[in-house]
Amino acid sequence: MCGIVGYIGQRKAYPILIEGLKRLEYRGYDSAGIALLAENAFEVHKEAGKVADLENIIPQKEHLQTIGIAHTRWATHGQPTSKNAHPHYSTSKDIVVVHNGIIENFMPLKRSLIEQGYTFQSDTDTEVIVNLIEKESKKGQVSFEESVNKALQQLHGAYALAVLSKKEPEKLIVARKGSPLAIGLGKEYSEFFVASDAIPIVEYTQDLIYLNDNEVAVLERGKKVEVKDIYGKSKMYKVKHIELDNNMVTKGEYEHFMLKEIFEQPDTLSNTIFSHLSEKEDTIYFEGLDELKKQLSEAKRILIIACGTSWHSGLIGEYLIEELARVPVEVEYASEFRYRNPIVRKDDIVLAISQSGETADTLAAMRYSKAQGATTFAICNVYGSSMAREADFVAYTYAGVEIGVASTKAFTAQVAVLSLLAIAMGQENDVLDVKTAKKLMKELREIPKLVAKTLEKDTEIEQLAKDFLDVTSFLYLGRGVNFPLALEGALKLKEISYIHAEGYPAAEMKHGPIAMIDEKLPTLIVGTNEAFYEKIVSNAQEVKARKGTIISIVNEGDKQLSELSDYVMTVPKVADELQPIVGAIPLHLF
Ligand code: M6R
């Protein structure tokens, strides 16, 4: 994932672009760059590292240019160096581009362009795009727009891009296929803001156009936006007014967005739960629930598709739906599913889970399933995102804007929605007894308060974490619904602390990983499930027998596992089904 930002208008572009990049850093943070255009000249700066590193190398002067594009990168093709950072120039340096996505046929295109005399400065796939545009622009009387279209027609893969040309310096051209792109509209088209999502734009305008796949827009001050397909055919578009407060997209008193978002969870969970569950009565709501329930009860199986953290909530969903509703569930990595000719039947319900609603693999897997005739259902956090728009049914998680790289509040909100869905399905299918359903709904209503209580352990967990700063590898174990939670904890440690961690079902440990346990490999055990408590205690014994250090997550008042553990993080006791929601808090803080 990468983030792109663009601006054309009357204001100075530089601060808009730099601040925009900071807000998009969750999409990529290994290198960044900016190109400003004025008086027929580009000023380009690029640097490896974060946006702050880029800022440090840019001369401290007033940047007067009112047009520019910028990029924050998460390397896919070529290492995270300043050479590979975007923007990329064409061979003549007349055109610059920033790109989010992957061009799959870049190798043959690059070979052919080199044979024709084009030169390349980076190892990226993106440079092919800008050189192709230049090549097309040289074919007679071809406008900037036409040369972009002709280049795009030759690309296989995904892109959201913004392009500037010295020859037509009054235009900013943007295009999208597979990767998201939003255009913010200034008053009477006097200025335009471009970004990978609305977050960098809302400070300036709340009127947005979201480009669809294969659409191109030419942005020119004072001119109405024209959206066309890549063959030049005009397309209709809608201007969306979005309700996003600028306070929602700033760090406030917190040092990091991730920390802010972890601490927002009492609110985000409350918003999510009470948007789908009545505060007083035991009624569960989902948009189109009656029709959805009918389809769900007739479904032979539910296929859950997702990536990363959302895949972990999908695994939890599998436990919950099978346990409470007795409908068979399969969970797939969307990134594998879409490439492996999977069997999808008309009577399948395909549940796509995604915070952003834009993850390319999940979107492609959902579209494939829809084309096979399956009913698609999206659990999404972003209103109006591609998945939300295209799925037959949508249930929103009301987690608010997630800017932190690591998904935290979206994860717990997804699990809350899945719990409610499983309860609703269990009731519909007459397999969940009223007492259990009522108990779970009652506990769900309490969850925001219990999460707030768990967050009070913040300082304690910070102290505990300090003892592990030099450790290079961790094992995370859990059983039942807490196995996917162990996977999630391990993913967070890798992603945020750059420490290797492996999540494993505790019962599988003896089939191999146990050989690794010694005093140097700490094991984090999620030991809150009542149903498997004795078994988890036995797993802890096995770790101790090999002199392993144990950090455990236990329920308040726990004795046995706590005595075996070197470090303990406690959480309030809740029903086994809901434990991943409270258990995620210490794992994310750790
Ligand atoms: O927006 P999505 O939920 O579809 O994103 C899927 C993954 O990329 C995402 O969950 C990723 O694994 C998290 N950033 C990890 O913290």
Side-chain angles (χ1 to χ4, degrees):
M1 230 172 33
C2 301
I4 66 176
V5 195
Y7 177 75
I8 179 165
Q10 329 294 339
R11 313 181 204 212
K12 288 177 201 139
Y14 178 75
I16 296 170
L17 297 175
I18 286 288
E19 286 312 308
L21 286 185
K22 287 182 189 162
R23 290 186 181 183
L24 286 184
E25 246 182 336
Y26 77 96
R27 300 183 62 87
Y29 47 94
D30 63 30
S31 51
I34 189 166
L36 299 161
L37 173 61
E39 288 161 17
N40 240 355
F42 285 121
E43 179 183 337
V44 173
H45 302 282
K46 313 202 281 188
E47 185 62 331
K50 302 202 169 198
V51 177
D53 298 308
L54 172 70
E55 260 183 308
N56 284 340
I57 62 142
I58 296 179
Q60 290 203 348
K61 60 169 188 172
E62 208 177 352
H63 298 274
L64 298 170
Q65 300 94 329
T66 54
I67 307 176
I69 54 178
H71 187 269
T72 177
R73 179 168 185 251
W74 196 233
T76 57
H77 291 60
Q79 291 182 1
T81 55
S82 69
K83 171 183 89 168
N84 289 330
H86 302 212
H88 289 289
Y89 274 121
S90 62
T91 299
S92 68
K93 299 207 163 180
D94 280 350
I95 306 170
V96 287
V97 71
V98 289
H99 163 225
N100 168 34
I102 293 176
I103 303 305
E104 285 158 5
N105 59 338
F106 90 100
M107 283 302 281
L109 289 171
K110 185 169 176 174
R111 270 196 297 272
S112 150
L113 284 161
I114 290 172
E115 277 165 21
Q116 295 167 64
Y118 289 88
T119 54
F120 288 79
Q121 312 303 324
S122 76
D123 309 314
T124 66
D125 48 342
T126 302
E127 236 185 320
V128 157
I129 307 175
V130 73
N131 273 323
L132 269 182
I133 298 173
E134 176 154 308
K135 181 183 143 191
E136 293 301 331
S137 72
K138 288 184 175 156
K139 292 183 179 164
Q141 293 296 313
V142 181
S143 69
F144 179 24
E145 185 186 347
E146 282 163 340
S147 54
V148 171
N149 285 351
K150 289 255 159 41
L152 296 184
Q153 288 165 25
Q154 298 167 57
L155 303 180
H156 302 165
Y159 52 78
L161 44 92
V163 204
L164 293 172
S165 167
K166 275 204 274 191
K167 294 196 176 143
E168 296 189 46
E170 292 301 315
K171 289 179 182 166
L172 167 57
I173 299 189
V174 294
R176 171 203 169 152
K177 183 184 166 203
S179 304
L181 194 100
I183 303 168
L185 306 179
K187 257 195 200 138
E188 286 156 15
Y189 302 100
S190 57
E191 57 181 350
F192 300 96
F193 306 83
V194 172
S196 299
D197 63 36
I199 298 167
I201 300 178
V202 286
E203 189 175 343
Y204 311 101
T205 173
Q206 299 192 321
D207 293 326
L208 272 81
I209 299 172
Y210 287 96
L211 283 191
N212 292 311
D213 280 353
N214 294 311
E215 287 183 348
V216 182
V218 180
L219 309 177
E220 259 185 284
R221 299 176 189 102
K223 287 202 181 158
K224 198 165 181 254
V225 182
E226 250 201 282
V227 176
K228 294 184 179 166
D229 70 12
I230 59 171
Y231 300 97
K233 186 170 166 237
S234 285
K235 301 285 298 258
M236 302 280 285
Y237 62 84
K238 277 196 191 130
V239 177
K240 276 206 175 127
H241 186 78
I242 55 157
E243 303 291 336
L244 203 60
D245 182 339
N246 195 37
N247 290 332
M248 294 178 192
V249 296
T250 51
K251 281 190 284 200
E253 69 195 75
Y254 293 93
E255 203 178 335
H256 310 284
F257 278 112
M258 181 177 174
L259 202 57
K260 179 187 179 220
E261 288 161 8
I262 290 174
F263 275 87
E264 279 172 358
Q265 287 175 99
D267 289 337
T268 56
L269 279 163
S270 173
N271 290 342
T272 303
I273 292 167
F274 295 116
S275 298
H276 297 293
L277 172 68
S278 154
E279 290 198 36
K280 301 229 158 57
E281 288 156 39
D282 288 331
T283 316
I284 295 174
Y285 322 99
F286 284 105
E287 213 180 291
L289 184 63
D290 289 340
E291 176 57 22
L292 178 62
K293 270 199 214 156
K294 190 172 149 276
Q295 300 221 18
L296 285 167
S297 61
E298 284 163 10
K300 296 276 180 311
R301 73 170 174 168
I302 294 181
L303 253 167
I304 298 183
I305 46 172
C307 294
T309 290
S310 297
W311 182 75
H312 296 151
S313 28
L315 288 177
I316 294 169
E318 177 181 28
Y319 280 90
L320 296 175
I321 295 171
E322 293 202 342
E323 169 76 24
L324 303 175
R326 307 302 295 150
V327 176
V329 179
E330 281 170 38
V331 189
E332 295 261 6
Y333 279 118
S335 49
E336 281 296 315
F337 180 88
R338 67 177 285 202
Y339 294 115
R340 69 164 181 80
N341 197 12
I343 298 169
V344 179
R345 293 181 290 245
K346 287 195 172 52
D347 52 9
D348 285 332
I349 297 219
V350 175
L351 175 51
I353 307 178
S354 174
Q355 186 284 126
S356 58
E358 297 292 350
T359 298
D361 289 328
T362 312
L363 187 58
M366 194 185 95
R367 284 177 178 159
Y368 172 84
S369 308
K370 202 169 178 175
Q372 304 303 304
T375 301
T376 52
F377 176 26
I379 296 184
C380 274
N381 193 42
V382 178
Y383 181 78
S385 57
S386 301
M387 277 178 232
R389 288 198 312 266
E390 294 181 30
D392 299 311
F393 298 93
V394 194
Y396 284 104
T397 46
Y398 293 90
V401 183
E402 191 168 67
I403 298 181
V405 175
S407 196
T408 53
K409 58 179 182 169
F411 171 73
T412 50
Q414 287 165 350
V415 178
V417 168
L418 286 161
S419 313
L420 286 162
L421 185 71
I423 299 169
M425 285 174 64
Q427 290 178 314
E428 178 72 16
N429 292 356
D430 270 336
V431 291
L432 181 63
D433 64 89
V434 177
K435 201 171 144 215
T436 312
K438 277 183 176 293
K439 178 177 174 280
L440 288 172
M441 286 187 265
K442 186 165 180 265
E443 288 207 19
L444 268 164
R445 290 190 190 94
E446 294 300 309
I447 283 279
K449 278 190 223 132
L450 300 178
V451 163
K453 193 172 167 210
T454 314
L455 285 165
E456 288 168 11
K457 301 269 159 70
D458 174 37
T459 321
E460 213 175 283
I461 294 172
E462 190 176 352
Q463 285 309 319
L464 188 159
K466 283 185 179 153
D467 281 0
F468 294 92
L469 292 180
D470 297 327
V471 170
T472 52
S473 192
F474 266 87
L475 186 61
Y476 278 58
L477 301 177
R479 278 178 180 256
V481 276
N482 284 335
F483 157 54
L485 184 64
L487 293 178
E488 169 59 9
L491 173 68
K492 286 295 175 285
L493 199 72
K494 286 182 269 206
E495 190 182 25
I496 296 303
S497 313
Y498 303 162
I499 294 173
H500 169 257
E502 192 171 337
Y504 232 78
E508 279 291 303
M509 180 181 65
K510 59 181 172 294
H511 298 290
I514 198 162
M516 290 172 15
I517 295 175
D518 59 16
E519 55 282 350
K520 291 197 213 91
L521 180 87
T523 302
L524 192 150
I525 300 179
V526 188
T528 48
N529 346 37
E530 209 169 349
F532 306 111
Y533 187 69
E534 283 177 7
K535 293 197 178 298
I536 280 274
V537 171
S538 302
N539 297 133
Q541 299 274 16
E542 288 161 6
V543 174
K544 271 287 131 199
R546 282 155 186 82
K547 299 202 177 91
T549 301
I550 298 180
I551 309 160
S552 58
I553 298 187
V554 297
N555 291 320
E556 283 166 358
D558 175 86
K559 293 238 158 34
Q560 265 180 287
L561 185 54
S562 304
E563 275 163 21
L564 276 173
S565 306
D566 302 276
Y567 298 83
V568 168
M569 302 189 241
T570 53
V571 290
K573 191 167 174 352
V574 294
D576 278 9
E577 290 83 350
L578 307 180
Q579 284 172 0
I581 306 180
V582 280
I585 306 300
L587 287 178
H588 289 165
L589 285 170
F590 180 67

